[in-house]
Amino acid sequence: MSDTAPVGPALGYAFKTLLGEGPLATEVGLQSHIASDASEDELNAVMDKCRRALERQKAIVDIPNVTRALKANREGLINLRKEAQKMDREAAEAGRKGGRSGEPKMNELDAGRREKITIDEKRYLILIPELEEKLSIALAYRDGETKQKAAKSA
């Protein structure tokens, strides 16, 4: 396969993807062509090259966003656990001051808040590993690894 433009009939193709998310996302595309008599292996090789280039560009844009989200979620989990420990301590202290023995009891409002903290903690414990895997794959793409290698390294 040659890197020069085909002399005879050619097959054209284009790839498009969005870089980033939300209203600031930018669409980027690649267009190319290959001789119409190129083998299927040659065609696939060129198309794979374009796809990898777009995946790499997408990863470069995604890395800062995923890194920020991961940091925010880790901090959120830490703060949530601190709040839970504080609530547990306060309930135990109130129980000691009230002369109650056994399991500390919270008022209904605090018990509801404590239950919400437990649910949010479980959500963080699911989301953080997902973000870590997404970051690992994006870093692998940025560094030029293939999708299969990136998934194995995650």
Side-chain angles (χ1 to χ4, degrees), residues 1-152:
M1 183 178 82
S2 170
D3 287 335
T4 61
V7 176
L11 299 172
Y13 56 91
F15 288 94
K16 290 183 183 178
T17 192
L18 284 177
L19 300 181
E21 295 177 359
L24 298 178
T26 303
E27 185 176 68
V28 66
L30 292 176
Q31 295 180 342
S32 190
H33 55 273
I34 189 167
S36 60
D37 62 348
S39 72
E40 187 176 336
D41 287 342
E42 290 175 314
L43 176 61
N44 288 334
V46 172
M47 292 177 80
D48 286 345
K49 185 187 287 189
C50 290
R51 182 190 45 78
R52 283 191 308 270
L54 287 175
E55 286 174 347
R56 183 172 184 275
Q57 294 309 307
K58 187 168 176 18
I60 289 169
V61 171
D62 287 347
I63 288 169
N65 297 332
V66 175
T67 301
R68 275 191 298 277
L70 186 56
K71 181 181 177 189
N73 279 276
R74 285 177 176 158
E75 289 172 358
L77 179 60
I78 290 167
N79 292 335
L80 207 60
R81 286 180 170 168
K82 286 178 183 177
E83 185 177 348
Q85 289 172 348
K86 180 182 175 198
M87 290 180 79
D88 293 344
R89 274 193 313 271
E90 288 173 353
E93 184 63 30
R96 276 193 296 278
K97 285 182 180 178
R100 294 183 296 254
S101 61
E103 187 72 26
K105 303 241 188 233
M106 294 181 183
N107 65 43
E108 195 173 310
L109 184 63
D110 287 343
R113 176 67 184 133
R114 184 64 176 89
E115 180 63 26
K116 184 180 181 318
I117 287 173
T118 301
I119 292 167
D120 288 346
E121 181 179 21
K122 288 177 183 176
R123 184 181 56 82
Y124 278 123
L125 293 173
I126 292 169
L127 186 58
I128 290 171
E130 289 174 356
L131 289 169
E132 289 171 337
E133 180 178 4
K134 188 174 181 179
L135 180 61
S136 175
I137 290 171
L139 289 168
Y141 280 157
R142 180 201 63 194
D143 296 339
E145 293 183 21
T146 64
K147 189 173 190 174
Q148 293 80 14
K149 287 181 186 175
K152 287 179 184 176

